Structures are given as structure tokens and as C-alpha cells.
Amino acid sequence: MTVPVVVIGAGVVGCSVAFAASRAGLPVTLVEAASGPGQGSTSASAAIVRMHYSTFEGVALAWEAKQMWEQWGEHLGHVDPTGMARYVPTGALVLDSPAFDSARALALYDQLGIPYELLGPAQLRDRFPYLSADRFYPPRLPDDPQFWNDPVGELGGFYTPDGGFVDDPPLATHNFWAAASALGAESVFGRTVISVNRDANGVCGVTLNDGRSIAARVVVNAAGPYSAAVNRMARVGADFGVTTRPLRQEVHVLDGPPELAGELGPTVSDADLGAYFRFLPGGQLLVGSMEPECDPLDWLDDPQRRFPSVKVPTRPRGLAALYDVTDDWIPIYDGTDLPGFFVAIGTSGNQFKNAPVIGLLMLALIQNWLDGGDHDTRPVQWVAPHTGSILNLAHYSRRRTPNQGSSHSVLG
């Protein structure tokens, strides 16, 4: 069945949905308040590609998406004349911490065949001499009297070569948009949705702030931090077991360790200090928060304690943006009790890496509904085309109770 689709939001998630739906032959209109794709929260993404999540679905989804980033042009089947984003393999290092269950993550790595190696403190120092193996846990704010305490013992971690980052998040989003446009998708930029319209059969379209109405039998809310407001317009949410809210986050830029001389080290997840690190071309270091208990909203920890040779900058540099966060930091990919109204929301700052797959998940949910299926009672089982993993999409249900197996942080 061919029905018109409206996607609200042209971040990486919305453009992925638009691309997947267009490739399936559905007529798509993308609506975005900004002047082009990828100009909202997506533009501030660290774009780290890593697999260490707390659940099978989280690890399996990221493992599948990584294969697609490695074959980015083939995945899209289109060359964007603006340029093509690039996946940069650097490996991923996860340092030991009571705040993250590495054993659980590695059991999932074993199940999915993801390679890794365990590193003790001596191996960590030998492999990455610019890193300190000192243990500081728990993370503390600078005004805590114990912040300057000496380290207590040492730590190790695990490393996988299968990790890295996407070099240009806005460009990757533009690539999705260009591929969808080449397949016939239309875009309306610089306009906002002021009404989600319904009739006796369910959703029937949207009205924009310039007075235009766009008819559609499928509407996908991919509005990122504004997703809760769009849900209120649609009058959905009464049966949601998890909710979303916007959360301000900061990412800081420091001069990297001089020992690397501008070379790229691995991405680092450091729950011992409550932060993650990603190297930038040119020798700088991108630092973000992992939401330690001492600092649940804004990252304030001092990254130089893990990189002894990195100096505190004389002025702050970085970005501030919004996350779209669920109660358990796991996104919602689902339909709603308004027939034809779907949500790809609560992406929590940890789903950019999964963007190539998200559009396919949403397409599977939409096609299941168009074929008369009821995902709430008979959940869609999605088969990953590259890795063969089978994902029960009920994991991302709006009706779930908050998942107690989640890290309840940006790690998901």
C-alpha cells in the first residue's frame, strides 16, 4: 500500500526515516523548522560509533549500524554532490568502573561475535602511554573537598578495534537527505508544525505555521528535543510507560595530549571519571559527560586527570545542545494509539551511531501497520541484513516500563 508520509524533524533520525520510506516507494514530505537538514541537536553530536550498550538490542543495533557506516555510499546508493561523510575507525576503549557493567557488555560481545581484548593497568599504560591508569572513582565536582584526593589503585579496561566516529554529523545527515530527495522526497524548511490533524481513521496530516496543510496517512515524530511538544499536539502519550524530556548537555574541546602529535587515539568511555573522550583531527580532544551522580545535568569534571599532559584551557571551548531523553535512556521507536502516528524519539544523545538502522526499524513498524499488524500485541521481529541479528522491537515500545538493565546514562 502506498500512502503519503510526513516526517517531522530533519535531524539524522528524521532524514534516515525519510530515506528508508522513500526507498520503499512511499511519498515523503520532510518538515523542519531550520533552514536545512542536520542543523539542530545533530550538529552538536560527537558522532561516536561504539557497541558497548547495556542490553542485547542496544549492542546488536550498534553492531549492525557500524557495518552500514563502513559501507556508507553503498548503503545510500547515492553520491551527495555536497560531499560524503566518512567513518573513521579508531577503536574504542572502555575503562573499568563500578558505574558500568563491562562483564555484561562483553557477554553480549561474545554472543554477537564482536572482537575485543582485556587490558590490565600495565597493558593500558603500554598501549596508550598518554593515558593514566589511576583510579579516581567516584567522580566528584571540583568544589567537593575530596576532588583533589590522590588516586586509589589502578584500573584496566577492554578495547575493541571496531569503533570510531563519523567525521561530519551534519554532512552525514545531508547525505541521508540528498539520497531521500533523489528518490522523490520533498522538504519544507523554515516551517514548524502547529497541528497534527486527525479524522475518524486516525492521523490525516499536519498544519504548518504558514497556514498550509499537508495530507498524510502516516506521520512520524522525529522532532528530537521538541518531540514531547509534538506528541501533545497529536494528543498521544496517555499509554506511554516511559516519557521524554529535553536535557541540556555540554561538550568541551581541549588541546589533546602532545605525545600523540595530532594522531587519533581511540574513543574512550571513562565512567571512572564520568566522562567520554573523542580525538579530533588536528590533535584536539572532545570531552562529554556520562552523567555521573555528582553532576546529572551539566558536565563539570576535570578531564586532565586521565590525560596528565593535557592542560586546563584558559577559556572554555565547546558546544551546548539538547538531548531528547527517556526515563531509561533507551529510545522509543513505535506507533501510538493514534493510528498512523509514529514516534522515533528519546534518542538520548546515544543514537547517532544507529542512524543508518533507525529508518529501517521505523519502516518495518510502518509497513507492519499498513499490512494490518498490531505491534503492541504481536511485536515486530526485525532481522539485521548484515549481521543477521534478530531484534524484538518491543524493546523500544512506548508502553514498556523503564528498563532496569539500562545504564541510565548516555551509554544507554
Side-chain angles (χ1 to χ4, degrees):
M1 181 185 298
T2 300
V3 298
V5 177
V6 166
V7 179
I8 304 172
V12 73
V13 170
C15 287
S16 175
V17 174
F19 167 64
S22 297
R23 189 166 59 177
L26 299 176
V28 174
T29 302
L30 193 62
V31 179
E32 167 59 48
S35 59
Q39 296 183 11
S41 294
T42 294
S43 66
S45 174
I48 291 173
V49 177
R50 48 90 180 174
M51 273 61 72
H52 47 279
Y53 281 79
S54 304
T55 65
F56 169 81
E57 290 81 4
V59 176
L61 201 66
W63 183 230
E64 175 68 20
K66 181 254 185 184
Q67 319 303 315
M68 297 179 180
W69 285 119
E70 288 181 322
Q71 305 171 51
W72 183 229
E74 291 85 349
H75 175 67
L76 295 178
H78 178 78
V79 176
D80 186 346
T82 302
M84 296 294 288
R86 185 171 62 97
Y87 169 67
V88 181
T90 62
L93 175 66
V94 181
L95 300 179
D96 292 335
S97 170
F100 182 70
D101 190 346
S102 291
R104 179 175 182 173
L106 292 180
L108 296 172
Y109 276 34
D110 289 335
Q111 184 177 346
L112 291 162
I114 302 173
Y116 65 90
E117 56 182 311
L118 299 175
L119 301 176
Q123 293 168 303
L124 184 68
R125 285 191 296 269
D126 182 61
R127 180 78 66 85
F128 309 107
Y130 50 86
L131 286 175
S132 164
D134 291 337
R135 182 184 297 277
F136 295 98
Y137 191 84
R140 303 181 190 277
L141 296 179
D143 59 3
D144 187 319
Q146 299 184 67
F147 179 80
W148 300 106
N149 285 1
D150 291 334
V152 180
E154 294 185 313
L155 49 70
F158 69 87
Y159 171 82
T160 175
D162 288 293
F165 63 90
V166 176
D167 67 342
D168 193 329
L171 181 58
T173 306
H174 195 280
N175 295 163
F176 268 132
W177 173 80
S181 299
L183 292 166
E186 298 183 354
S187 301
V188 179
F189 293 119
R191 295 291 182 268
T192 58
V193 172
I194 61 170
S195 174
V196 175
N197 305 325
R198 60 170 70 199
D199 60 19
N201 297 313
V203 73
C204 63
V206 299
T207 300
L208 308 184
N209 62 342
D210 62 2
R212 274 184 290 174
S213 291
I214 303 174
R217 274 302 170 192
V218 172
V219 173
V220 181
N221 177 3
Y226 307 99
S227 64
V230 174
N231 280 348
R232 287 192 293 271
M233 288 183 205
R235 288 173 283 160
V236 301
D239 64 344
F240 280 38
V242 287
T243 57
T244 64
R245 61 185 178 91
L247 174 65
R248 184 180 183 274
Q249 285 288 312
E250 295 180 356
V251 177
H252 293 254
V253 178
L254 306 175
D255 291 329
E259 300 94 321
L260 278 177
E263 294 185 10
L264 296 174
T267 66
V268 181
S269 292
D270 184 2
D272 182 72
L273 288 179
Y276 64 84
F277 314 104
R278 196 204 97 186
F279 292 90
L280 297 173
Q284 293 180 312
L285 194 65
L286 200 64
V287 183
S289 173
M290 292 173 63
E291 295 76 41
E293 289 186 11
C294 67
D295 185 22
L297 294 178
D298 294 317
W299 180 81
L300 294 174
D301 220 344
D302 181 359
Q304 78 152 353
R305 301 187 77 179
R306 185 63 66 208
F307 294 85
S309 59
V310 173
K311 305 303 181 184
V312 177
T314 56
R315 61 183 179 84
R317 292 176 292 169
L319 298 168
L322 294 176
Y323 283 173
D324 183 28
V325 180
T326 63
D327 302 323
D328 55 9
W329 290 77
I330 294 173
I332 304 171
Y333 303 134
D334 201 357
T336 64
D337 59 4
L338 173 60
F341 186 79
F342 292 81
V343 292
I345 63 176
T347 47
S348 311
N350 62 33
Q351 291 294 296
F352 180 94
K353 67 186 67 59
N354 293 331
V357 183
I358 293 170
L360 300 178
L361 301 188
M362 295 306 299
L363 178 63
L365 294 169
I366 291 167
Q367 289 180 325
N368 179 70
W369 175 73
L370 291 174
D371 291 340
D374 184 352
H375 177 58
D376 289 336
T377 58
R378 297 185 301 280
V380 172
Q381 308 295 307
W382 185 78
V383 181
H386 293 278
T387 60
S389 298
I390 301 174
L391 277 71
N392 181 352
L393 299 193
H395 177 74
Y396 301 105
S397 170
R398 73 194 187 281
R399 289 181 163 183
R400 69 179 186 264
T401 55
N403 190 320
Q404 296 308 306
S406 169
S407 68
H408 292 85
S409 75
V410 73
L411 286 180

